Amino acid sequence: MKQVVRMIAAAAAVATMGLHAGAHAADEYPGSKPVSAVVPFAAGGPTDKVSRDLVQIMSKHLGTTIVIENLGGAGGTIGAKKVSQASPNGHTVLIHHIGMSTAPALYRNLGFDPLKDFEFVGEIADVPMVLVGNKSLPPNNFKDLLPYIKANASKLSLANAGIGSASHLCGLLFMSAIQTELTTVPYKGTAPALTDILGGQVNLMCDQTTNIAGQLKAGSLKPYAAMQSRRVEAFKDIPTAAEQGLPGMEVKIWHAMYAPKGTPKAVIDKLSAALQKSVTDPTFRAKMAELGAEAVPAQRATPDSLKTFLASEINKWTPVIKKAGVYAD
């Protein structure tokens, strides 16, 4: 009996030491060890641009270097899955976009649950979408574009950066709103899609301002409509789809940060505090504005806000994707 008691006492002591060690590790976080921020898309893309601008600022507020690790493929699910399985010590985080809310409907064998397999750090920035066309398209405005599409639907192509991408989702909503199917052309990323629309190989694309800001400023694309309820701050001359007769056409591409499930609350609190300082940092807000994006207010860069928002976005996109009958796997 005494031996059993001693074993129980020893086990309790070990457990207590473990708790103290975990608490001490959280107190010491981040230390001198860098943080790997996994971006589940190729370098140079819209999410990568937002992420690189963020980590430059957030490294200062967190007190250690944050290094971007691009791990693209399968609509961002490869990188997300890797982070869900990473050690929950705060030195691996995920920066993902709206794809976290659409993946459950697009992938029948996803391999992770966005709501259950991560800790939430907070939202980062919102990026507007703009419907653009190549310069050779005859219509010069949205009003003329709609009847032109109706009359030439079988001849027109709508590019996207791949099934499940932001441009793909925006295109699905657009075709549903105008009740007209176009030939969709999926690419392996935004860069080749943009190259072909600039070259005239495809006609239309719905894309993030972070990706096409330079082309919009240079006038090398025809902007037809901003896909949100208000005009884009950096491109106020582009009317919204709603004010041009297509109400409800709104696609907001949001970005957020996550950590592996089980990451200590004290660590999440430090990450979130650094994120909140970063999204309100004038330098970061200015960088986002240059791209036509908007850094979120501090109250959205919190774990509770992100968890609630992600759940609402999953509920929003699941019926849209199921109705379209598209799968990415």
Side-chain angles (χ1 to χ4, degrees):
M1 185 68 179
K2 289 182 179 179
Q3 185 178 3
V4 173
V5 172
R6 284 197 297 269
M7 290 175 64
I8 293 174
V14 171
T16 301
M17 289 174 60
L19 287 173
H20 287 315
H24 180 70
D27 288 340
E28 294 297 319
Y29 178 82
S32 59
K33 185 179 178 181
V35 172
S36 174
V38 174
V39 175
F41 302 102
T47 301
D48 183 67
K49 291 177 183 177
V50 170
S51 302
R52 290 182 186 276
D53 284 341
L54 174 71
V55 301
Q56 285 182 1
I57 306 297
M58 192 170 167
S59 292
K60 174 183 65 176
H61 294 301
L62 187 61
T64 193
T65 303
I66 305 175
V67 181
I68 295 293
E69 179 186 353
N70 294 99
L71 188 60
T77 61
I78 292 176
K81 185 175 181 179
K82 178 183 178 180
V83 174
S84 74
Q85 298 171 341
S87 177
N89 57 15
H91 289 282
T92 302
V93 297
L94 171 70
I95 300 178
H96 206 335
H97 67 13
I98 190 175
M100 278 290 270
S101 65
T102 58
L106 284 166
Y107 293 84
R108 288 164 287 193
N109 298 295
L110 185 56
F112 64 88
D113 187 322
L115 289 172
K116 295 180 180 179
D117 294 337
F118 296 89
E119 302 293 345
F120 304 93
V121 179
E123 296 172 65
I124 300 168
D126 295 329
V127 181
M129 301 288 285
V130 176
L131 179 68
V132 297
N134 65 52
K135 295 288 288 185
S136 64
L137 273 179
N140 291 315
N141 54 61
F142 193 71
K143 181 180 178 182
D144 293 339
L145 177 67
L146 293 185
Y148 180 81
I149 288 176
K150 295 280 187 180
N152 298 277
S154 62
K155 305 174 186 176
L156 295 175
S157 54
L158 181 65
N160 65 60
I163 293 176
S165 65
S167 50
H168 177 229
L169 297 169
C170 185
L172 286 178
L173 279 184
F174 175 62
M175 290 187 292
S176 176
I178 65 173
Q179 298 183 338
T180 305
E181 290 293 321
L182 303 176
T183 299
T184 57
V185 184
Y187 287 82
K188 291 182 178 179
T190 308
L194 181 58
T195 297
D196 275 8
I197 195 167
L198 289 168
Q201 284 78 26
V202 286
N203 306 116
L204 295 161
M205 181 166 66
C206 189
D207 203 6
Q208 301 173 63
T209 56
T210 44
N211 193 53
I212 57 175
Q215 287 74 22
L216 289 174
K217 291 173 182 176
S220 51
L221 290 170
K222 282 188 177 181
Y224 287 113
M227 302 306 206
Q228 61 177 33
S229 58
R230 57 185 175 84
R231 294 197 181 194
V232 179
E233 192 66 28
F235 300 101
K236 287 189 173 180
D237 57 328
I238 303 176
T240 68
E243 66 184 274
Q244 298 183 92
L246 198 63
M249 187 64 238
E250 184 171 1
V251 183
K252 177 177 70 176
I253 305 306
W254 49 273
H255 298 76
M257 181 177 288
Y258 310 80
K261 189 71 175 178
T263 302
K265 183 180 184 301
V267 171
I268 295 296
D269 288 345
K270 287 186 178 182
L271 283 166
S272 185
L275 179 60
Q276 290 168 49
K277 290 177 182 177
S278 301
V279 298
T280 55
D281 189 297
T283 301
F284 180 66
R285 299 192 73 83
K287 285 180 176 291
M288 290 299 96
E290 288 176 8
L291 296 172
E294 185 175 348
V296 301
Q299 59 267 31
R300 282 179 57 193
T302 63
D304 287 345
S305 176
L306 174 55
K307 185 175 182 179
T308 300
F309 182 64
L310 176 60
S312 70
E313 285 288 282
I314 290 174
N315 289 336
K316 170 186 173 179
W317 284 106
T318 295
V320 172
I321 293 169
K322 286 187 175 180
K323 183 180 179 180
V326 294
Y327 294 101
D329 55 10

